[in-house]
Structure formats: structure tokens, C-alpha cells
Amino acid sequence: MNDLRYPIGPFTAPADPTAATRESLIATIAACPAELRRVTRGLSDAQLETPYRDGGWTVRQVVHHVPDSHMNAYVRHKLTATQLQPTINPYEESLWAELADAKSGDIEVSLVLLTQLHDRWVRFLRALEPEAFARTFVHPAYDHLWTLDASVALYAWHSRHHVAHIDALRQRMGW
């Protein structure tokens, strides 16, 4: 893929996910912390300050963005499992990426946070009954209901998407 914004392509939700598809997506979410740690291993501070593309976030901002985003997803999923069609609270990810903790914080903090968060999130998802994945939530920025199945697929994609940003940058830069 030549579009540096979407190194694995844009998100497409599976039409009718099976139990096996769902487990594969959850396994992708489970693997994300180790994959993010793998692609950031050995990077210098100067490399962490490198944008993954012109006009894009730095590697450091990407690393901090992933747990920010996934914490929001975890809460959205728990709300969806426990409430009737909740309206979730969006957040301004681009503004979060400009806050001091994302711009200059130690990535190890976010890597540990992501590991612990994903442990809880994956346990939660794997314990849900299959019918729970049909439950829906309202995202005010979109003109459709999101199923828990579609959201799990989105965050599996999101996990791979940001790992690929860093991996592709490393390859281009010869790191």
C-alpha cells in the first residue's frame, strides 16, 4: 500500500463475523501490546521524535495514542455490554496527541499501560456470550449504530494500523 496514512488499507468491517472471525480479531487485540513493543524496541529519542509520515504524528505520539484510544474503546465496549444502546462520549484524539504526556512522555509508561489494559479488555471480550456482540452503541460522529462486533473489528484493525505505521517508517529509514 502506498498511502502512508493507511499502511494496511482502510478499515472494513466484516459483513457477518463468525465465532472464529471474532476470536481472530480478539487475538489481534491481545497481540497488540507485544507488537507495539517489538516495533519500538531500540528506538532512540531522536527516532521517537520522527513523524511516521509528513504531517503525521511522531512515533512517540503514536505509541501514546494507542492506549488513549483503546481505553476509550474498552469503556465503550463495557457500556455497550451493560446498557441499552448507549451514546458514547467521543474524544478529540488530535488534541490528546498534542498534550504534554503524548508529546514528550516516556513510551514505556504507555507500553505497560497498554499491556495491562489489553489483559483486562481481552478477558472481558472472551467472557461475553456470542449474542452480546450484536449489541449496539451510538457514536455521535457517525450516522449509524455500531455493533460490538464491528467495534472489535475496528480496534483489531487499529492495532495493526498503528504498528504498521511504525514498522513501515523503520523500513523506510533503515532502522
Side-chain angles (χ1 to χ4, degrees), residues 150-165:
S151 188
V152 167
L154 174 66
Y155 285 95
W157 171 86
H158 189 259
S159 297
R160 293 175 41 246
H161 169 72
H162 286 304
V163 165
H165 280 147

Side-chain angles (χ1 to χ4, degrees), residues 36 39-41 43-53 56-67 102-103 105 107 110-111 162-163 165-170 172-173 175:
L36 195 58
V39 298
T40 57
R41 187 170 289 120
L43 292 179
S44 68
D45 279 337
Q47 290 167 327
L48 291 172
E49 296 309 317
T50 305
Y52 74 90
R53 66 175 174 86
W57 290 337
T58 65
V59 172
R60 184 182 310 277
Q61 286 172 299
V62 171
V63 171
H64 292 306
H65 162 72
V66 175
K103 288 201 66 141
I107 66 166
S110 281
L111 292 170
H162 286 304
V163 165
H165 280 147
I166 299 167
D167 215 10
L169 174 65
R170 289 187 78 141
R172 286 192 315 277
M173 301 298 280
W175 295 342

